Amino acid sequence: MSASENNAPTTRADGRAVDQLRNVRVTRGFTTNPAGSVLVEFGDTRVMCTASVSEGVPRFKRDSGEGWLTAEYAMLPSATAERMQREAVKGKVKGRTQEISRLVGRSLRAAVDLRALGENTVNIDCDVLQADGGTRTASITGAYVALADALAVLKKRGVMPGEPLLAPVAAVSVGIVDGVACLDLPYEEDSRADVDMNVVMTEQGRFVEIQGTGENAEFSRDELSVMLDLAEGGLRELTALQRAALAADLGETVTL
Amino acid sequence: MSASENNAPTTRADGRAVDQLRNVRVTRGFTTNPAGSVLVEFGDTRVMCTASVSEGVPRFKRDSGEGWLTAEYAMLPSATAERMQREAVKGKVKGRTQEISRLVGRSLRAAVDLRALGENTVNIDCDVLQADGGTRTASITGAYVALADALAVLKKRGVMPGEPLLAPVAAVSVGIVDGVACLDLPYEEDSRADVDMNVVMTEQGRFVEIQGTGENAEFSRDELSVMLDLAEGGLRELTALQRAALAADLGETVTL
Amino acid sequence: MSASENNAPTTRADGRAVDQLRNVRVTRGFTTNPAGSVLVEFGDTRVMCTASVSEGVPRFKRDSGEGWLTAEYAMLPSATAERMQREAVKGKVKGRTQEISRLVGRSLRAAVDLRALGENTVNIDCDVLQADGGTRTASITGAYVALADALAVLKKRGVMPGEPLLAPVAAVSVGIVDGVACLDLPYEEDSRADVDMNVVMTEQGRFVEIQGTGENAEFSRDELSVMLDLAEGGLRELTALQRAALAADLGETVTL
Amino acid sequence: MSASENNAPTTRADGRAVDQLRNVRVTRGFTTNPAGSVLVEFGDTRVMCTASVSEGVPRFKRDSGEGWLTAEYAMLPSATAERMQREAVKGKVKGRTQEISRLVGRSLRAAVDLRALGENTVNIDCDVLQADGGTRTASITGAYVALADALAVLKKRGVMPGEPLLAPVAAVSVGIVDGVACLDLPYEEDSRADVDMNVVMTEQGRFVEIQGTGENAEFSRDELSVMLDLAEGGLRELTALQRAALAADLGETVTL
Amino acid sequence: MSASENNAPTTRADGRAVDQLRNVRVTRGFTTNPAGSVLVEFGDTRVMCTASVSEGVPRFKRDSGEGWLTAEYAMLPSATAERMQREAVKGKVKGRTQEISRLVGRSLRAAVDLRALGENTVNIDCDVLQADGGTRTASITGAYVALADALAVLKKRGVMPGEPLLAPVAAVSVGIVDGVACLDLPYEEDSRADVDMNVVMTEQGRFVEIQGTGENAEFSRDELSVMLDLAEGGLRELTALQRAALAADLGETVTL
Amino acid sequence: MSASENNAPTTRADGRAVDQLRNVRVTRGFTTNPAGSVLVEFGDTRVMCTASVSEGVPRFKRDSGEGWLTAEYAMLPSATAERMQREAVKGKVKGRTQEISRLVGRSLRAAVDLRALGENTVNIDCDVLQADGGTRTASITGAYVALADALAVLKKRGVMPGEPLLAPVAAVSVGIVDGVACLDLPYEEDSRADVDMNVVMTEQGRFVEIQGTGENAEFSRDELSVMLDLAEGGLRELTALQRAALAADLGETVTL
């Protein structure tokens, strides 16, 4: 089962070039109760990312001198084209949900120096209000901004021993659709992609996580290389946007 | 334990008169996947209310010729001042959540003629993005508007035997705070109220549901009467607002 | 959807006047292990109400100097006309069960001065042996008597700082059936009532809780008033019966 | 660890001889909703045993031409000296509960000819109102009587192809306490017994089930023999009592 | 329903005499992480029995000066002829599984002096890799050997106040198949047996547990006697094998 | 946080070169009930992989003309150095377990032509008997062999429309440990690796899945390249071993 043949920039169903991100928007201060609260939009995908802080750490980190960061991702039942059953009602968190929660947590821990955080805990919540592909990558990208705001709150409280915030971490999806490698897949492309890959990267261009899956077709090392090139381009734009959002006022919407 | 003494209009912590609603805002078309999607705001309380439609009915209604409406209410974990544990992760829906889901369902069923709906099902979802008291009453008030939009979608599909939408149903809270009956309590008042009451009413001024609870003090029949007067006043404004929202454009925010 | 038209005392299916309670019976000392154990019967509805006491309080009350009272309501699977699935086997407590448990707890807390109780806990259990309508109101009415017995046990042990038992709290249902307001509905009436209301009141005639629901029809303020009149009459009889039961011997059955 | 030495009839804490049953009482028609409803008492142990009938069988018996009987045993939380947590609230049925439910089901299936029952199902529920040892054996003994009543109901409905009720099945506990084999142990003896055995037997004196456990000491074959002798004596009395109860009127209490 | 008629040694489907065990094999040191790890085989039944040790005891044993031993039994989903659903995925442990776990725990506690163990805990795990009848009796027999190895580890660590290992405890099944009492039933016999009995015994010939069940037919006292004779013969061989295994080298397979 | 500096073949704690696999062993016919049953060993990691077949498909595949393959991965509680709690007892499958189960399923579906399988289902079970790193990659590698055997069984039954088995799929881990990229990490290396990557590949050298995670340090594109080189080398050996195992006799152990 062969996959991509050529990757010449073509036009996609939504008019974008293959190396073009969707319209990405970041709004800080979306709600006021959590220490950090960000609405992030990748096209029609809309995720509310919050970072809540509490003093103390879970048992396995107690007396380690280090803090902890954990994350939970979830979809509202009405986020998708067809309403999904609510996981709380079912009494079970789906494997997919847990997998993404774990990915978001690992990715954001790459953006925080746990020792400098001291024995404090950050809870990241990424709740998808509307889903159109790329919800996990939007979650990571938005959560970094919420995390930055939350750490600023902890700093003001004077409870942190150091400066835990590291350089931005962002994420984007790439994939091979109709034999062509594309950046930032909406649901319409994602659902029929031969290969789907999520790339999480630091501002310095180092990988935090790569997850590439060939559900309908396997992929060659060359195809991998083309996808990584696309991802790197998109991620440079996204980390610049994260920086811009953090420089803007609360409530202001910053876009690419 | 005596409660209210007098109810002369006074000024409250947020500057409102005792018979004054908070700033209430309704935005239709908040998201696009569900048939109806409304953002409703009562001051800082913000609830996303959606109505999803599907053909067919649950088993207990099969071959009844009637449709069904069911509702689920939930709070995002970061909606409250202190982050709450996610019910899906805990694997259990709290009693409070189930109780409110049932209330929302009963209230909205008073706004729909199940026979005219035919064997179709409406799922109402009320997800609280930000909580500041009155989340259940905001949910009911917003959900009516989402329901109206969803029934319009079903109508366009031509799958309903009749016109199931009945006149507006809205809800508001009243309570006795510091001995004074007040309309539409924010969290600050609600948490120290002697009596807390939720009133659900039709546009015609008939009660769908009354739930009055004296957690810290009991209440007399006269106090009940004063609270019901306040509620009726607020509910007239809310049903007018629901009508206005349904007359406005999708995406437009309508306010009192 | 209009409801009651007139409320002239008429005769019901079971021969009662509209303002007449069913045969109500209270037997203290029904079982011997719990500190308080009462069998309460409202006609064919039969509930075993117990109050168990333990020293110490749940975490959220620790070091508050106050005690706590909590309640659990449940139906035996064979209590109803058609056997119900056992909640423990299903692994889930139904919303209805949780809702009633919370109602019973709130109602009984209105009968106890938590500060005078000291850091002790009372667990109320209401297990329905046979259900014929009004199980929640019978539960509250019977549980008050069990609570009184349990507090007497704690007093004898000398572990309470004060006299926590307050005046009786009782509960009764009212509703509108075939357009007529009726007191104390058996299942046959309850299942076809247009309006169903539960009223919890202290001996002094103050409301602890009012829950009125129009499942099949809404109700006017006048209808509310008529129902509250009926409830008040019934509740005066029930609190007198509670007093009589507490004056009688253990094992003796006291009736209206 | 040796156990019993001699078994000469001695007097026990409650004054009984070693081969004497407690006061056993059986009341049919204890509640009216289930097809069979029996209150059985072995001393202070009190169990409500019901048998509910429904047409149709579980999937694994479908189209087998045979019926099915299943049983559930449970303790009310206030049945024991110290209140136990409610299994439904915990969301888990304890191993002990499941084990006894399975034992009751197997035992009662020995009293029914599933083929003669036809494709009907009997649900046995044994709910312990008060526990003082021997709750599982009281459950089996009482449930047989409830089963007989339930099958009579099915017979009247004319839905059974044959006469499924077989001869009585009863159960009793025996054990070695302070080196002496004793019949029908109350909690006080059971909790310090070296060996605990439950014997289920048909009226014809054949074993349905034997479960002997040496928690604190093992037992010899001779000791086993002495315990079985005691059990056989008690079981003859119990099956006679079952017959007597079925010959008595509903509501009448029959005793040894 | 009569059962066995005669018990003259006959030949069975697998060629064994009625009083003959299957080929039994014990391999110590099957895996290396747990303190004790044994593969036990009774014919085609294969169980991995491990004993893990930890310092400290569960809450109910704290400060008792005694240790604790607990056991868990489970079947791999592919152990049976037809694949079974995984209990972890279902979210529920079956009654059968819990019942056997409890039996294994009780049986092994008869082989350990909890006071000499000190406040240490032994966790027995019996995981059935392949099931062909007698999995619970194989589990007990193998687990004793794993327990012995685990206690030797604790002894080397010097954390035990005494010598807790008691003489061997082994288990075997007996049953009545086609009217003939047989020892050590494989699945083919077990599934059609009239009576099924599991006997757990110490090396001294005293019973730890007897569980006899007549699913398809009841059994007489004479039949019980014949079955116990068979069991005693088999158990003498099994305790000799346990002794031999403990005298052999780790990794060596010892057989009857 | 920089990671690997140089990758010159060095010697590791267990004496292997950086590009050397552990001793890998594959034994077909490990148990006899499932259609395919394989014991796979990567050094001390030992996994029992089975493939069970059933006719019919899950609901979402019904009438699609295609079959389905699903997989479940689990660890026995005693598989790890420190005993883990049993997921079935906890009532929850851990996120890690679900994530690996999903990975195994996706990987094996790349080895089967679902259309040629027809409406049949293959259940893969990977149960880790002993864990020493790389359990998920051993699972995938072994499961392919079990799958091949299971499809041969289905073929013999004549229920498949085609030849669904595709070329081998195998998996291996690579990582950066102490700055050096290494192949096939045991637990000792895995637990302190800066980067951990799992690579699933077809015999043709195309990627089915790549999952690279920098828990303690991010990694550059060059480091990624070095790791992929190592993985490809190992995977060529593993697919050759899978072919050799399938050519060997049942019960024979094939090794590198």
Side-chain angles (χ1 to χ4, degrees):
Chain A
M1 277 175 283
S2 170
S4 80
E5 294 304 279
N6 97 42
N7 285 288
T10 80
T11 305
R12 301 197 249 169
D14 57 8
R16 282 187 290 147
V18 294
D19 61 352
Q20 196 181 346
L21 291 169
R22 288 180 281 180
N23 185 18
V24 180
R25 298 155 53 92
V26 176
T27 310
R28 284 164 65 216
F30 181 61
T31 58
T32 55
N33 283 323
S37 173
V38 164
L39 180 72
V40 63
E41 298 165 88
F42 277 48
D44 284 338
T45 286
R46 229 187 291 173
V47 186
M48 174 170 155
C49 304
T50 63
S52 306
V53 292
S54 55
E55 297 179 26
V57 283
R59 186 182 311 231
F60 71 95
K61 274 290 185 182
R62 222 163 275 167
D63 300 320
S64 68
E66 294 194 346
W68 189 241
L69 177 149
T70 184
E72 285 173 13
Y73 161 99
M75 275 214 193
L76 294 197
S78 60
T80 44
E82 189 156 346
R83 184 184 183 272
M84 294 181 313
Q85 205 190 343
R86 205 173 275 269
E87 292 183 329
V89 169
K90 225 171 147 180
K92 263 196 199 180
V93 179
K94 286 193 294 189
R96 178 187 178 277
T97 300
Q98 289 198 27
E99 196 170 314
I100 299 178
S101 293
R102 285 157 54 87
L103 169 65
V104 175
R106 282 197 307 272
S107 299
L108 272 294
R109 280 194 292 276
V112 63
D113 175 344
L114 296 178
R115 185 150 294 278
L117 177 57
E119 293 207 0
N120 298 292
T121 296
V122 181
N123 281 278
I124 300 290
D125 285 291
C126 298
D127 285 277
V128 179
L129 305 186
Q130 187 166 275
D132 186 28
T135 59
R136 79 188 72 188
T137 51
S139 293
I140 292 167
T141 303
Y144 175 81
V145 180
L147 170 64
D149 280 338
L151 293 178
V153 166
L154 274 180
K155 192 178 173 179
K156 261 189 216 141
R157 288 196 204 153
V159 297
M160 293 193 312
E163 293 283 353
L165 187 68
L166 303 180
V169 165
V172 79
S173 74
V174 282
I176 299 179
V177 186
D178 300 334
V180 181
C182 296
L183 178 68
D184 188 17
L185 279 52
Y187 179 74
E188 179 274 329
E189 290 178 357
D190 186 53
S191 58
R192 63 196 173 83
D194 286 326
V195 180
D196 179 30
M197 175 169 288
N198 293 290
V199 182
V200 187
M201 195 175 264
T202 63
E203 194 180 36
Q204 299 91 337
R206 293 176 65 82
F207 297 115
V208 174
E209 185 108 13
I210 296 180
Q211 293 192 343
T213 301
E215 265 284 4
N216 303 313
E218 295 77 43
F219 52 106
S220 69
R221 194 133 166 201
D222 285 349
E223 288 166 334
L224 172 64
S225 193
V226 172
M227 289 190 286
L228 291 176
D229 288 343
L230 285 179
E232 287 183 12
L235 288 162
R236 266 190 301 273
E237 292 187 77
L238 290 171
T239 47
L241 183 64
Q242 290 171 318
R243 290 273 185 206
L246 286 167
D249 289 335
L250 282 184
E252 197 182 325
T253 297
V254 175
T255 185
L256 279 179
Chain B
M1 277 174 285
S2 170
S4 79
E5 295 302 282
N6 96 40
N7 285 288
T10 80
T11 306
R12 301 197 250 169
D14 57 8
R16 281 187 291 148
V18 295
D19 60 352
Q20 195 181 346
L21 292 170
R22 288 181 280 180
N23 185 17
V24 179
R25 298 155 53 92
V26 176
T27 310
R28 284 163 63 216
F30 181 61
T31 58
T32 55
N33 282 325
S37 173
V38 165
L39 180 72
V40 64
E41 298 166 87
F42 276 47
D44 283 338
T45 287
R46 229 187 290 173
V47 186
M48 173 171 155
C49 304
T50 62
S52 306
V53 292
S54 55
E55 298 178 26
V57 283
R59 187 184 308 233
F60 71 95
K61 274 290 184 183
R62 222 162 276 166
D63 301 321
S64 68
E66 293 194 347
W68 188 240
L69 178 149
T70 183
E72 285 173 14
Y73 162 100
M75 276 216 193
L76 294 195
S78 61
T80 44
E82 190 156 345
R83 184 185 183 272
M84 295 180 313
Q85 205 191 339
R86 205 173 274 270
E87 293 183 329
V89 169
K90 228 172 144 179
K92 263 196 200 179
V93 179
K94 286 193 293 188
R96 179 187 176 277
T97 300
Q98 289 197 26
E99 195 171 313
I100 299 179
S101 293
R102 286 157 51 87
L103 170 64
V104 175
R106 282 197 307 272
S107 299
L108 271 295
R109 281 194 292 274
V112 62
D113 175 344
L114 297 177
R115 185 150 294 278
L117 177 58
E119 292 207 1
N120 298 293
T121 296
V122 181
N123 280 278
I124 300 290
D125 286 290
C126 298
D127 285 277
V128 179
L129 305 186
Q130 187 166 275
D132 186 27
T135 59
R136 78 188 72 188
T137 50
S139 293
I140 293 167
T141 304
Y144 175 81
V145 180
L147 170 65
D149 280 339
L151 294 178
V153 166
L154 275 182
K155 192 178 173 178
K156 260 189 216 141
R157 289 196 204 152
V159 297
M160 294 193 312
E163 294 283 353
L165 187 68
L166 304 180
V169 165
V172 80
S173 74
V174 283
I176 298 180
V177 186
D178 300 334
V180 181
C182 296
L183 177 68
D184 188 17
L185 278 54
Y187 179 74
E188 180 273 329
E189 290 178 356
D190 186 53
S191 59
R192 60 192 175 84
D194 286 326
V195 180
D196 179 30
M197 175 170 286
N198 294 291
V199 181
V200 187
M201 195 176 263
T202 63
E203 194 180 37
Q204 299 90 338
R206 292 176 65 82
F207 297 116
V208 174
E209 185 108 12
I210 295 180
Q211 293 193 343
T213 301
E215 265 284 4
N216 302 312
E218 295 77 43
F219 52 106
S220 68
R221 193 132 167 202
D222 284 350
E223 288 166 334
L224 172 64
S225 194
V226 172
M227 288 190 285
L228 292 176
D229 289 343
L230 286 179
E232 288 183 11
L235 288 162
R236 266 190 300 271
E237 291 186 76
L238 290 170
T239 47
L241 183 65
Q242 290 171 319
R243 290 271 185 209
L246 287 168
D249 288 336
L250 281 185
E252 195 182 326
T253 297
V254 175
T255 185
L256 279 180
Chain C
M1 278 175 284
S2 171
S4 80
E5 297 301 281
N6 97 40
N7 284 290
T10 79
T11 306
R12 300 196 251 170
D14 57 9
R16 282 188 289 147
V18 295
D19 61 352
Q20 195 182 346
L21 291 170
R22 287 181 282 180
N23 185 18
V24 179
R25 299 154 52 92
V26 176
T27 310
R28 284 163 65 217
F30 182 61
T31 58
T32 55
N33 283 324
S37 173
V38 164
L39 180 72
V40 64
E41 298 166 88
F42 276 48
D44 285 337
T45 286
R46 229 187 290 174
V47 186
M48 173 171 156
C49 304
T50 63
S52 305
V53 292
S54 55
E55 298 178 26
V57 283
R59 186 183 311 231
F60 71 95
K61 274 290 185 183
R62 221 163 275 166
D63 301 320
S64 68
E66 294 194 347
W68 189 239
L69 178 150
T70 184
E72 286 173 12
Y73 161 100
M75 276 215 193
L76 294 196
S78 60
T80 43
E82 190 155 347
R83 184 185 183 272
M84 294 181 315
Q85 205 190 342
R86 206 173 273 270
E87 292 183 330
V89 169
K90 226 172 146 180
K92 262 196 200 180
V93 179
K94 286 192 293 187
R96 179 187 176 276
T97 299
Q98 289 197 28
E99 197 170 313
I100 299 178
S101 292
R102 286 157 53 88
L103 169 65
V104 175
R106 282 196 308 271
S107 298
L108 272 294
R109 280 195 292 276
V112 62
D113 175 344
L114 296 178
R115 186 150 293 279
L117 177 57
E119 292 207 359
N120 298 293
T121 296
V122 180
N123 280 278
I124 300 290
D125 286 292
C126 296
D127 285 278
V128 180
L129 305 186
Q130 186 166 277
D132 186 28
T135 60
R136 77 188 73 188
T137 51
S139 293
I140 292 167
T141 304
Y144 175 81
V145 179
L147 169 65
D149 280 339
L151 293 178
V153 166
L154 275 181
K155 193 178 172 179
K156 262 189 217 143
R157 290 196 203 152
V159 297
M160 293 193 312
E163 295 283 354
L165 186 68
L166 304 180
V169 165
V172 79
S173 74
V174 282
I176 298 179
V177 185
D178 300 334
V180 180
C182 296
L183 178 68
D184 189 17
L185 278 53
Y187 178 74
E188 180 273 328
E189 290 178 356
D190 186 53
S191 59
R192 61 193 174 84
D194 285 326
V195 180
D196 179 30
M197 175 169 288
N198 294 291
V199 182
V200 187
M201 195 176 264
T202 64
E203 195 180 37
Q204 300 90 337
R206 294 176 65 81
F207 297 116
V208 174
E209 186 108 12
I210 295 179
Q211 294 193 342
T213 301
E215 266 284 3
N216 303 312
E218 295 79 42
F219 53 105
S220 69
R221 195 135 166 199
D222 284 349
E223 288 166 333
L224 172 64
S225 194
V226 172
M227 289 191 284
L228 291 177
D229 289 343
L230 285 180
E232 287 182 13
L235 287 162
R236 265 190 301 271
E237 291 186 76
L238 290 171
T239 48
L241 183 64
Q242 289 171 319
R243 291 271 186 207
L246 286 168
D249 289 335
L250 282 184
E252 195 182 325
T253 297
V254 174
T255 185
L256 279 180
Chain D
M1 278 174 285
S2 169
S4 81
E5 294 304 279
N6 95 41
N7 286 287
T10 81
T11 305
R12 301 196 249 170
D14 58 8
R16 281 186 290 149
V18 295
D19 61 351
Q20 195 182 345
L21 292 169
R22 288 181 280 181
N23 185 17
V24 179
R25 299 153 53 92
V26 176
T27 310
R28 283 163 64 215
F30 182 61
T31 58
T32 54
N33 283 324
S37 172
V38 164
L39 180 72
V40 64
E41 297 166 89
F42 276 48
D44 283 339
T45 286
R46 229 187 289 173
V47 186
M48 174 170 154
C49 305
T50 62
S52 306
V53 292
S54 55
E55 297 178 28
V57 284
R59 187 182 310 233
F60 70 96
K61 275 289 184 183
R62 221 162 277 167
D63 300 321
S64 68
E66 293 195 347
W68 189 240
L69 178 149
T70 184
E72 286 173 12
Y73 162 99
M75 275 214 193
L76 294 196
S78 60
T80 45
E82 190 156 345
R83 183 184 183 273
M84 295 181 313
Q85 205 190 341
R86 205 174 276 269
E87 292 183 327
V89 169
K90 227 172 146 181
K92 262 198 201 178
V93 179
K94 287 193 293 189
R96 178 187 177 277
T97 300
Q98 289 197 27
E99 197 170 313
I100 299 178
S101 293
R102 286 158 52 87
L103 170 64
V104 175
R106 282 196 308 272
S107 299
L108 272 293
R109 280 194 291 275
V112 62
D113 175 344
L114 295 178
R115 185 150 296 278
L117 177 56
E119 294 208 359
N120 298 292
T121 296
V122 180
N123 281 279
I124 300 289
D125 287 290
C126 297
D127 285 277
V128 180
L129 305 186
Q130 186 166 276
D132 186 28
T135 59
R136 78 188 72 187
T137 51
S139 293
I140 293 167
T141 304
Y144 175 81
V145 180
L147 169 65
D149 280 338
L151 293 178
V153 166
L154 275 181
K155 193 178 171 179
K156 260 190 217 140
R157 288 197 205 151
V159 296
M160 293 192 313
E163 294 283 353
L165 187 68
L166 304 181
V169 165
V172 79
S173 73
V174 283
I176 299 179
V177 185
D178 300 334
V180 180
C182 296
L183 178 68
D184 188 17
L185 280 52
Y187 178 74
E188 180 274 329
E189 290 178 355
D190 185 54
S191 58
R192 60 193 175 84
D194 286 327
V195 180
D196 179 30
M197 175 169 288
N198 294 291
V199 181
V200 188
M201 195 176 264
T202 63
E203 194 180 37
Q204 300 91 337
R206 294 176 65 82
F207 297 116
V208 175
E209 186 108 12
I210 295 180
Q211 294 193 342
T213 301
E215 265 285 4
N216 304 312
E218 296 77 44
F219 53 106
S220 69
R221 193 130 167 202
D222 284 349
E223 288 166 334
L224 172 64
S225 193
V226 172
M227 289 190 285
L228 292 176
D229 289 343
L230 286 179
E232 287 183 12
L235 288 162
R236 267 190 300 271
E237 292 187 76
L238 290 170
T239 46
L241 183 65
Q242 290 171 318
R243 289 272 186 209
L246 286 167
D249 289 335
L250 282 184
E252 195 182 326
T253 298
V254 175
T255 185
L256 279 180
Chain E
M1 277 174 284
S2 172
S4 81
E5 295 304 279
N6 96 43
N7 284 288
T10 81
T11 306
R12 301 197 249 171
D14 58 8
R16 282 187 289 147
V18 295
D19 60 352
Q20 196 182 346
L21 291 170
R22 288 181 281 180
N23 185 18
V24 180
R25 299 154 53 92
V26 176
T27 310
R28 283 163 64 216
F30 181 61
T31 58
T32 55
N33 283 323
S37 173
V38 164
L39 180 72
V40 64
E41 298 166 88
F42 276 48
D44 283 338
T45 286
R46 228 186 291 173
V47 186
M48 173 171 156
C49 304
T50 63
S52 306
V53 292
S54 55
E55 298 178 26
V57 282
R59 188 183 309 231
F60 72 95
K61 275 289 184 183
R62 222 163 275 166
D63 301 320
S64 68
E66 295 194 346
W68 189 240
L69 178 149
T70 183
E72 286 173 13
Y73 161 100
M75 276 215 192
L76 294 196
S78 60
T80 44
E82 189 156 347
R83 182 184 184 273
M84 294 180 313
Q85 205 190 343
R86 204 173 275 270
E87 293 182 330
V89 169
K90 227 171 145 179
K92 263 197 200 180
V93 179
K94 286 193 294 190
R96 179 187 177 276
T97 299
Q98 289 198 28
E99 196 170 312
I100 299 178
S101 293
R102 285 157 52 88
L103 169 65
V104 175
R106 282 195 309 270
S107 299
L108 271 294
R109 280 194 292 275
V112 63
D113 175 344
L114 296 178
R115 185 149 296 275
L117 177 57
E119 294 206 359
N120 298 292
T121 296
V122 180
N123 281 279
I124 301 290
D125 286 292
C126 297
D127 285 278
V128 180
L129 305 186
Q130 187 165 275
D132 186 28
T135 60
R136 77 189 74 188
T137 51
S139 294
I140 292 167
T141 303
Y144 175 82
V145 180
L147 170 65
D149 280 340
L151 293 179
V153 166
L154 275 180
K155 192 178 172 179
K156 260 188 219 142
R157 288 195 203 153
V159 297
M160 292 192 314
E163 294 283 353
L165 187 67
L166 303 180
V169 165
V172 79
S173 73
V174 281
I176 299 179
V177 186
D178 300 334
V180 181
C182 296
L183 178 67
D184 188 18
L185 279 52
Y187 179 74
E188 179 274 328
E189 290 178 357
D190 186 53
S191 58
R192 61 195 174 84
D194 285 327
V195 180
D196 179 31
M197 174 169 289
N198 294 291
V199 181
V200 187
M201 195 177 264
T202 63
E203 194 180 37
Q204 300 91 336
R206 293 175 64 82
F207 297 116
V208 174
E209 185 108 12
I210 295 179
Q211 294 193 342
T213 302
E215 265 283 4
N216 303 312
E218 295 78 42
F219 53 107
S220 69
R221 195 133 165 201
D222 285 349
E223 289 166 332
L224 171 64
S225 194
V226 173
M227 288 190 286
L228 291 176
D229 289 343
L230 285 179
E232 286 183 12
L235 288 162
R236 267 191 300 272
E237 291 186 76
L238 290 171
T239 48
L241 184 64
Q242 289 171 318
R243 290 272 186 207
L246 286 168
D249 289 335
L250 282 184
E252 196 182 324
T253 297
V254 175
T255 184
L256 279 179
Chain F
M1 278 175 285
S2 169
S4 79
E5 295 303 278
N6 95 41
N7 286 288
T10 81
T11 306
R12 301 196 249 171
D14 58 7
R16 283 186 289 148
V18 296
D19 60 352
Q20 196 181 345
L21 291 170
R22 288 180 281 181
N23 186 17
V24 180
R25 299 154 52 91
V26 176
T27 310
R28 283 164 64 215
F30 181 61
T31 58
T32 54
N33 283 323
S37 173
V38 165
L39 181 72
V40 64
E41 297 166 89
F42 276 48
D44 284 338
T45 286
R46 229 186 290 173
V47 186
M48 174 171 155
C49 304
T50 61
S52 305
V53 292
S54 55
E55 297 177 28
V57 283
R59 186 184 309 233
F60 71 95
K61 275 289 184 183
R62 221 162 276 167
D63 301 320
S64 68
E66 294 194 346
W68 188 240
L69 178 149
T70 183
E72 285 173 12
Y73 162 99
M75 276 215 191
L76 294 196
S78 60
T80 44
E82 190 156 346
R83 182 184 184 274
M84 294 182 313
Q85 205 191 341
R86 205 174 275 270
E87 293 182 329
V89 169
K90 227 171 145 181
K92 262 197 201 179
V93 179
K94 286 193 293 188
R96 178 187 177 277
T97 300
Q98 289 198 28
E99 196 170 313
I100 299 178
S101 293
R102 287 157 51 88
L103 169 65
V104 175
R106 283 196 307 271
S107 298
L108 272 294
R109 280 194 291 274
V112 63
D113 175 343
L114 296 178
R115 184 150 295 278
L117 177 57
E119 294 208 358
N120 298 292
T121 296
V122 180
N123 281 278
I124 301 289
D125 286 290
C126 297
D127 286 278
V128 179
L129 305 186
Q130 187 167 274
D132 186 28
T135 59
R136 78 188 73 187
T137 50
S139 294
I140 293 166
T141 304
Y144 175 81
V145 180
L147 169 65
D149 280 339
L151 294 178
V153 166
L154 275 181
K155 192 178 172 179
K156 260 189 219 142
R157 288 196 204 153
V159 297
M160 293 192 312
E163 294 283 353
L165 187 67
L166 304 180
V169 166
V172 79
S173 73
V174 282
I176 298 179
V177 185
D178 300 334
V180 181
C182 296
L183 178 67
D184 188 17
L185 279 52
Y187 179 74
E188 180 273 330
E189 290 178 356
D190 186 52
S191 58
R192 61 194 175 85
D194 286 327
V195 181
D196 180 30
M197 175 170 287
N198 294 291
V199 182
V200 188
M201 195 176 263
T202 64
E203 194 179 37
Q204 299 91 336
R206 293 176 64 84
F207 297 116
V208 174
E209 185 108 12
I210 295 179
Q211 294 193 342
T213 302
E215 264 285 3
N216 303 311
E218 296 77 43
F219 52 106
S220 69
R221 193 132 167 199
D222 284 350
E223 288 166 333
L224 172 64
S225 193
V226 173
M227 289 190 286
L228 291 176
D229 289 343
L230 286 179
E232 287 182 11
L235 288 162
R236 266 189 301 271
E237 291 186 76
L238 290 170
T239 47
L241 184 65
Q242 289 171 319
R243 290 271 185 208
L246 287 167
D249 288 336
L250 281 185
E252 195 181 326
T253 298
V254 175
T255 185
L256 279 179

